């Protein structure tokens, strides 16, 4: 498959997707989001791939939805024909882990896409923000919903209402990102994390992702029940036997992804 707005490559069991509209700070237009959806689904289906990394450039992960493309849209373009927002939820259907490796600006839709990933590793120059309010609109792909869950209502309101950007020190303190690394170490760290994940049992990794995500969708007691069922289900896999046996025999586990 040839893409125009993204680049894809694979390294061992890791699939890398790079947002690639450098002249527009990786602004997210419909074509890019269509391609991103296709690439994510293709890696999700590929049984040789166990983990996905999504990144942008050193200057910008993505500076948001493409303002030039959407400036003239009518309500009907946006609502009935689903311009701008189509395909933004594809990420939620991806069952394998997706790591966002963020350098530079992650603004508006860029911040929202980063938050849709399973966790964010940020370079020291990363900046996060929801500046839509300055454009006379508001976040449209989960910013008002995922930010309060990620960093508290107070900080989410601050960012959505004032449009201010958050640097990595604040973003790590607030819990938006899981790790901060020097810019020249970003991809090394992202691949190191992805390779660790890829060395585990794929079905168990998928169950763990599913279970953590459940925490956002349900009550605590339902979530704990859900987790317990998946934990119990893990005992039906060969990989649980191998993992525990390997520990007892003081050797590395060799998972068969079964
Ligand atoms: C279209 C964009 C863009 C965007 C940057 N560019 N962001 N084009 N859509 N979101 C373009 C600029 O027009 C410019 O093109 C080139 O990229 C370089 O940008 P500059 O502004 O010259 O660079 P700089 O001064 O370094 O400033 C970087 C920036 C700024 C801080 C990131 O570009 C900026 O504020 N961008 C807009 C951020 C934003 O408002 N995002 C939210 C979008 S709404 P030319 O041709 O002049 O070189 C949104 C809604 C999501 O995301 C809804 C989801 C469904």
């Amino acid at each position: 498959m040839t893409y125009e707005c993204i680049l894809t490559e694979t390294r061992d069991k890791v699939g890398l997707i790079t947002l690639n509209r450098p002249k527009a700070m990786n602004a997210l237009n419909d074509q890019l989001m269509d391609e991103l959806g296709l690439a994510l689904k293709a890696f999700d289906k590929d049984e040789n791939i166990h983990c996905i990394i999504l990144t942008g450039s050193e200057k910008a992960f993505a500076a948001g939805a493409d303002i030039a493309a959407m400036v003239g849209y009518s309500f009907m373009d946006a609502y009935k024909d689903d311009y701008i927002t189509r395909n933004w939820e594809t990420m939620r259907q991806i069952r394998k882990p997706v790591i966002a490796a963020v350098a530079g600006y992650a603004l508006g839709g860029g911040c929202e896409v980063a938050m849709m990933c399973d966790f964010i590793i940020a370079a020291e120059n990363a900046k996060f923000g929801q500046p839509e309010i300055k454009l006379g609109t508001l976040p449209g792909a989960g910013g008002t919903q995922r930010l309060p869950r990620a960093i508290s209502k107070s900080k989410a309101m601050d960012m959505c209402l004032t449009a201010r950007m958050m640097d990595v020190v604040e973003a790590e303190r607030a819990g938006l990102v899981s790790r901060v690394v020097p810019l020249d170490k970003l991809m090394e760290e992202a691949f190191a994390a992805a390779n660790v994940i890829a060395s585990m049992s794929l079905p168990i990794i998928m169950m763990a992702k599913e279970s953590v995500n459940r925490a956002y969708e349900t009550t605590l007691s339902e979530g704990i029940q859900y987790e317990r069922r998946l934990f119990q289900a893990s005992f039906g896999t060969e990989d649980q036997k191998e993992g525990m046996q390997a520990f007892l025999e003081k050797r590395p586990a060799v998972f068969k992804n079964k």
Side-chain angles (χ1 to χ4, degrees):
M1 178 85 196
T2 317
Y3 300 113
E4 287 176 12
C5 304
I6 61 170
L7 305 169
T8 60
E9 65 176 89
T10 58
R11 287 191 215 168
D12 298 323
K13 294 177 179 171
V14 180
L16 174 66
I17 303 174
T18 305
L19 305 175
N20 188 36
R21 295 189 69 214
K23 287 186 187 148
M25 296 259 171
N26 289 335
L28 306 165
N29 61 11
D30 283 340
Q31 185 184 350
L32 185 151
M33 293 309 293
D34 289 347
E35 292 182 5
L36 177 59
L38 289 172
L40 284 167
K41 281 186 182 164
F43 279 147
D44 208 31
K45 241 197 208 165
D46 183 341
E47 58 184 41
N48 298 313
I49 296 296
H50 288 202
C51 188
I52 301 165
I53 299 173
L54 178 62
T55 195
S57 70
E58 292 194 348
K59 269 195 193 158
F61 177 74
D66 191 323
I67 301 165
M70 67 185 165
V71 56
Y73 284 162
S74 66
F75 170 72
M76 285 306 169
D77 292 331
Y79 180 76
K80 186 161 73 59
D81 297 332
D82 210 10
Y83 292 168
I84 320 169
T85 47
R86 72 168 186 242
N87 263 325
W88 284 71
E89 290 295 299
T90 304
M91 183 80 81
R92 295 187 65 195
Q93 299 160 22
I94 304 306
R95 300 177 72 200
K96 292 173 186 168
V98 184
I99 301 172
V102 175
Y105 297 108
L107 302 178
C111 185
E112 292 170 311
V113 168
M115 286 193 288
M116 287 174 201
C117 296
D118 296 312
F119 62 96
I120 301 174
I121 300 179
E124 281 166 350
N125 74 339
K127 288 206 183 317
F128 299 87
Q130 298 291 161
E132 289 90 341
I133 206 92
K134 285 204 289 190
L135 302 170
T137 185
L138 61 147
T144 64
Q145 303 304 300
R146 289 196 178 95
L147 260 187
R149 287 165 165 85
I151 64 171
S152 84
K153 175 188 158 189
S154 187
K155 274 192 187 291
M157 281 288 190
D158 183 357
M159 290 179 71
C160 292
L161 302 185
T162 70
R164 81 173 172 88
M165 291 186 211
M166 190 178 262
D167 66 16
V168 282
V169 175
E170 186 178 4
E172 188 180 33
R173 200 171 57 219
L176 183 61
V177 309
S178 72
R179 312 179 192 186
V180 175
V181 294
L183 177 57
D184 62 355
K185 294 276 183 295
L186 178 65
M187 296 318 293
E188 196 181 311
E189 184 84 3
F191 272 101
N195 286 329
V196 168
I197 291 168
S199 73
M200 309 294 175
S201 162
L202 178 60
I204 305 296
I205 284 285
M206 289 164 65
M207 285 185 197
K209 166 170 172 161
E210 208 178 321
S211 197
V212 173
N213 277 334
R214 197 71 178 187
Y216 287 94
E217 306 290 347
T218 193
T219 62
L220 180 60
S221 55
E222 285 292 326
I224 284 171
Q225 184 73 357
Y226 190 81
E227 179 196 70
R228 186 172 305 153
R229 286 288 170 270
L230 287 179
F231 171 73
Q232 291 162 341
S234 76
F235 285 77
T237 66
E238 288 183 25
D239 285 345
Q240 170 270 329
K241 299 285 171 293
E242 166 61 12
M244 294 191 184
Q245 200 59 44
F247 174 83
L248 295 174
E249 292 170 10
K250 302 190 189 303
R251 61 170 175 82
V254 182
F255 293 120
K256 291 188 190 149
N257 305 309
K258 289 189 202 171

